[in-house]
Amino acid sequence: MTPEVVLVRGGQADAVRSRIRSDFPDVRVLDDETAHPETTIVAGRVRDEELPGLPALDWVHSWAAGVESEVGPALRRSGVAVTSSAGNGAVPLAEHAMLLALQLDRGGRRWADAAREARWDRFTHGELAGKTMGIYGFGNIGAALAPRASAFDMTVIGLRRDVGSTPAAVERLYRPEEVLDFAGRCDVLVVTAPLTVETRGAIDLRVLSALRPGATVIVVSRGGIVVDADLLTALDSGAVAGAGLDAHTVEPLPADSPFWSRDDVVVTPHNGATTTATADRGTAIFLDNLRRRVTREPLVNRVDPSSLA
């Protein structure tokens, strides 16, 4: 059997190389991030123009949970296996969704503005208890978010393609074709879906208009699922009371984006999962897959390139 040759790229490259050398002594690890013709595995990004110089490559692992921006057209067509780090940021993104939900419901931006001016500003605000949170694209993030929302005495519903059994802390799962019924129950809509050909633009004005009066919209997975122009229209009309956006259609969010200056929008810079633990979980996912590769077991977190937006 041809020995595996692994090229590691990214912020934790040195630590990952050390783990591979320690745990997989029969695997050769390249010393730097330079592509080598004998490379069979890359942990990190591979640019399309590098592929001709990587004739032995047959597996790429992305440190990202969503890989649509990591996998170029040539790599998608190449037949090379692609895996992701899906699930690595589920916990901090669930926490971030709750942070945004609380900020929007309680008027946190108004308090922050008053604090900067040393102004005592007391006002009537909302509470999450008794409201319904709808999780669009119920997967790893949804599984982490549901019990957290339930702990705030919220009712939790979800929507995903494969309904299957209903998870704990979730009242009901809806199918994509039931999206309007799903939206009609949401006081807080949280988008946790990956960006795919099916989800791009799926949350449009029709869906936003179906939300409960006073509803808020939170996006923590990927931009492009909610139609920006439609969200602005819904905010202007009052159909949506506020939005918390960590993921954006264009990143970095342009300085002239109207989302920056709105009092009813909280913007964070796609930073909700940037924790040390997220990186550690991504490393663990890759090392488990490397073990599977060595023992000839199926890889987990396989990505279907044809589904990528």
Side-chain angles (χ1 to χ4, degrees):
M1 180 178 176
T2 303
E4 302 289 2
V5 180
V6 183
L7 168 62
V8 183
R9 291 171 167 169
Q12 289 194 309
D14 289 340
V16 175
R17 291 187 194 106
S18 295
R19 285 291 304 276
I20 296 172
R21 291 183 176 115
S22 171
D23 297 354
F24 303 93
D26 294 331
V27 172
R28 178 185 167 197
V29 186
L30 298 177
D31 292 328
D32 57 28
E33 299 191 7
T34 304
H36 189 284
E38 296 180 4
T39 301
T40 59
I41 301 167
V42 174
R45 177 174 290 193
V46 176
R47 299 183 301 276
D48 278 357
E49 58 267 26
E50 293 181 292
L51 288 176
L54 293 167
L57 181 67
D58 62 4
W59 172 30
V60 173
H61 178 81
S62 171
W63 299 121
V67 303
E68 67 283 343
S69 64
E70 302 270 323
V71 182
L75 181 55
R76 297 184 192 198
R77 296 190 301 266
S78 68
V80 171
V82 177
T83 58
S84 76
S85 296
N88 61 340
V91 168
L93 287 176
E95 293 177 354
H96 201 70
M98 292 305 302
L99 168 69
L100 293 172
L102 286 164
Q103 282 189 296
L104 292 168
D105 198 64
R106 296 204 157 223
R109 184 163 182 167
R110 178 171 167 176
W111 276 324
D113 290 343
R116 278 191 290 270
E117 300 170 6
R119 178 167 44 85
W120 191 257
D121 184 16
R122 300 180 75 243
F123 56 91
T124 300
H125 52 72
E127 56 184 61
L128 294 179
K131 293 185 176 179
T132 296
M133 175 179 285
I135 302 174
Y136 179 87
F138 194 101
N140 292 310
I141 303 170
L145 177 55
R148 287 164 170 79
S150 180
F152 277 77
D153 291 328
M154 300 186 77
T155 298
V156 180
I157 59 175
L159 182 147
R160 67 183 180 193
R161 184 172 52 188
D162 180 17
V163 172
S165 59
T166 302
V170 177
E171 181 194 275
R172 178 181 171 183
L173 287 176
Y174 290 77
R175 293 179 172 83
E177 58 268 25
E178 300 173 298
V179 65
L180 294 182
D181 292 335
F182 165 79
R185 295 191 58 194
C186 293
D187 297 298
V188 180
L189 171 64
V190 184
V191 176
T192 65
L195 181 63
T196 68
V197 293
E198 294 177 346
T199 63
R200 182 181 289 279
I203 306 299
D204 55 14
L205 189 58
R206 183 180 61 115
V207 176
L208 296 170
S209 298
L211 298 172
R212 282 182 171 174
T216 55
V217 175
I218 294 167
V219 182
V220 294
S221 56
R222 285 294 183 268
I225 298 171
V226 177
V227 180
D228 289 348
D230 288 358
L231 178 56
L232 288 166
T233 297
L235 288 165
D236 287 339
S237 70
V240 170
L245 308 176
D246 186 53
H248 312 274
T249 303
V250 177
E251 295 186 354
L253 186 65
D256 61 355
S257 169
F259 289 126
W260 284 114
S261 58
R262 295 189 67 106
D263 291 336
D264 51 5
V265 175
V266 177
V267 170
T268 55
H270 208 152
N271 200 202
T274 312
T275 69
T276 300
T278 293
D280 290 343
R281 284 187 289 265
T283 297
I285 291 168
F286 169 67
L287 292 175
D288 177 61
N289 259 344
L290 184 56
R291 177 193 62 77
R292 290 170 175 270
R293 168 87 170 200
V294 170
T295 58
R296 300 188 179 185
E297 298 175 53
L299 301 177
V300 299
N301 282 7
R302 284 288 295 264
V303 175
D304 175 9
S306 67
S307 72
L308 299 176

